[in-house]
């Protein structure tokens, strides 16, 4: 009886998965990507198991391979979705409608807040650095996605220089990397800073203080009277 019951449950689950695949394939792919993100964030690329990802979704290991090819293909798809998300939000900031100083402040605020609110993105970037950016290099879309933030930074900086607000001579990519470094550190080093210094970088008052310091550091670097 118990065996019959287990077989019945497996059959029902299989029918549910098949129904999901045929009725909402894009929804199934989104569910797979979400489950895969959790698995890769928790265990890295090497430690992640496709069986565990399948168990978190209404699909199967076979269907995951059908959609994404293999585990590294799935990992690249997760990376691409995460980079596409942050770049999409950046494009929606409409910085061109703001005066250059306010636009630069808004860009720094957004970058800092996004990393604080999306620690999984930081963790995935850290995992990819462990693998020497092998999957970023293999992606056909990520390089193109990331060009947009450099162009946004370039245009904001150019307007600030022309308005007599910012110093000349900086590369837009270096400005972006400085903003990213100051923003990512607050998430990537929470555990070690907390252990070494007893400094809770997750505390709201500390996040607010470091956010203000990050804005001031970037403006201090750029402004003519800095």
């Amino acid at each position: 009886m118990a065996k019959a019951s287990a077989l019945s449950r497996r059959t029902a689950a299989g029918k549910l998965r098949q129904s999901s695949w045929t009725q909402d394939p894009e929804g199934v792919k989104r569910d797979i990507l979400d489950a895969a993100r959790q698995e890769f964030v928790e265990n890295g690329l090497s430690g992640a198991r496709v069986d565990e990802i399948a168990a978190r979704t209404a699909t199967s290991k076979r269907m995951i391979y059908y959609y994404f090819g293999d585990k590294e293909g799935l990992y690249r798809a997760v990376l691409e979705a995460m980079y596409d998300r942050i770049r999409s939000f950046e494009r929606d900031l409409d910085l061109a409608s703001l005066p250059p100083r306010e636009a630069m402040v808004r860009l720094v605020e957004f970058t800092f807040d996004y990393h604080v609110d999306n620690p999984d993105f930081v963790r995935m970037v850290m995992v990819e650095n462990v693998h020497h950016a092998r999957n970023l290099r293999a992606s056909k879309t990520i390089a193109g996605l990331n060009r947009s933030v450099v162009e946004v930074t370039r245009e904001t900086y150019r307007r600030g220089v022309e308005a007599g607000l910012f110093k000349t001579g900086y590369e837009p990519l270096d400005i972006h990397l400085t903003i990213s470094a100051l923003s990512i550190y607050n998430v990537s080093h929470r555990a070690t800073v907390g252990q070494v210094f007893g400094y809770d970088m997750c505390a709201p008052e500390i996040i607010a203080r470091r956010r203000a310091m990050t804005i001031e550091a970037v403006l201090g670097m750029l402004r003519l009277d800095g």
Side-chain angles (χ1 to χ4, degrees):
M1 180 68 70
K3 287 184 179 178
S5 245
L7 179 59
S8 175
R9 286 195 299 271
R10 286 197 298 271
T11 302
K15 288 180 178 178
L16 175 62
R17 287 196 294 266
Q18 185 175 6
S19 173
S20 298
W21 301 338
T22 55
Q23 292 179 11
D24 186 15
E26 291 305 311
V28 171
K29 288 175 73 173
R30 285 193 299 270
D31 288 346
I32 293 170
L33 287 173
D34 185 58
R37 174 185 54 77
Q38 296 175 51
E39 178 71 11
F40 289 131
V41 164
E42 290 171 9
N43 299 300
L45 173 58
S46 301
R49 297 181 62 239
V50 177
D51 287 330
E52 289 297 321
I53 296 168
R56 295 180 188 221
T57 64
T59 186
S60 66
K61 187 174 179 179
R62 179 181 65 82
M63 187 56 63
I64 290 172
Y65 287 141
Y66 171 79
Y67 279 130
F68 300 101
D70 54 21
K71 185 169 79 168
E72 290 203 351
L74 177 58
Y75 173 81
R76 281 195 300 275
V78 172
L79 276 176
E80 288 166 355
M82 296 180 96
Y83 273 105
D84 181 64
R85 185 171 187 267
I86 185 172
R87 301 288 91 101
S88 175
F89 280 126
E90 283 165 350
R91 289 191 295 271
D92 288 343
L93 293 175
D94 192 23
L95 299 182
S97 67
L98 298 173
R101 183 189 180 280
E102 286 76 0
M104 188 64 73
V105 169
R106 183 72 190 95
L107 181 59
V108 177
E109 288 174 339
F110 165 78
T111 306
F112 187 94
D113 293 344
Y114 189 90
H115 288 86
V116 168
D117 294 338
N118 296 273
D120 285 1
F121 175 65
V122 176
R123 181 63 185 270
M124 285 291 288
V125 171
M126 293 167 65
V127 169
E128 185 58 7
N129 272 286
V130 168
H131 293 279
H132 305 286
R134 182 178 71 230
N135 288 279
L136 284 178
R137 193 161 49 246
S139 171
K140 296 178 180 178
T141 65
I142 289 178
L145 287 171
N146 286 329
R147 278 195 288 269
S148 66
V149 69
V150 179
E151 292 308 312
V152 165
T153 307
R154 184 191 310 280
E155 180 60 16
T156 304
Y157 174 58
R158 181 194 64 78
R159 292 195 295 123
V161 169
E162 289 183 355
L165 298 171
F166 297 156
K167 299 173 186 175
T168 61
Y170 285 111
E171 289 294 326
L173 179 58
D174 285 330
I175 297 171
H176 165 65
L177 293 177
T178 299
I179 296 170
S180 292
L182 291 169
S183 300
I184 288 174
Y185 188 90
N186 293 280
V187 182
S188 64
H189 284 61
R190 281 176 178 172
T192 52
V193 168
Q195 180 62 37
V196 173
F197 298 107
Y199 189 72
D200 183 6
M201 297 178 80
C202 297
E205 66 276 11
I206 292 177
I207 290 173
R209 184 164 67 243
R210 291 197 56 79
R211 183 182 191 265
M213 291 174 68
T214 299
I215 294 167
E216 182 56 30
V218 173
L219 289 182
M221 175 185 75
L222 293 177
R223 66 188 173 213
L224 280 171
D225 61 347

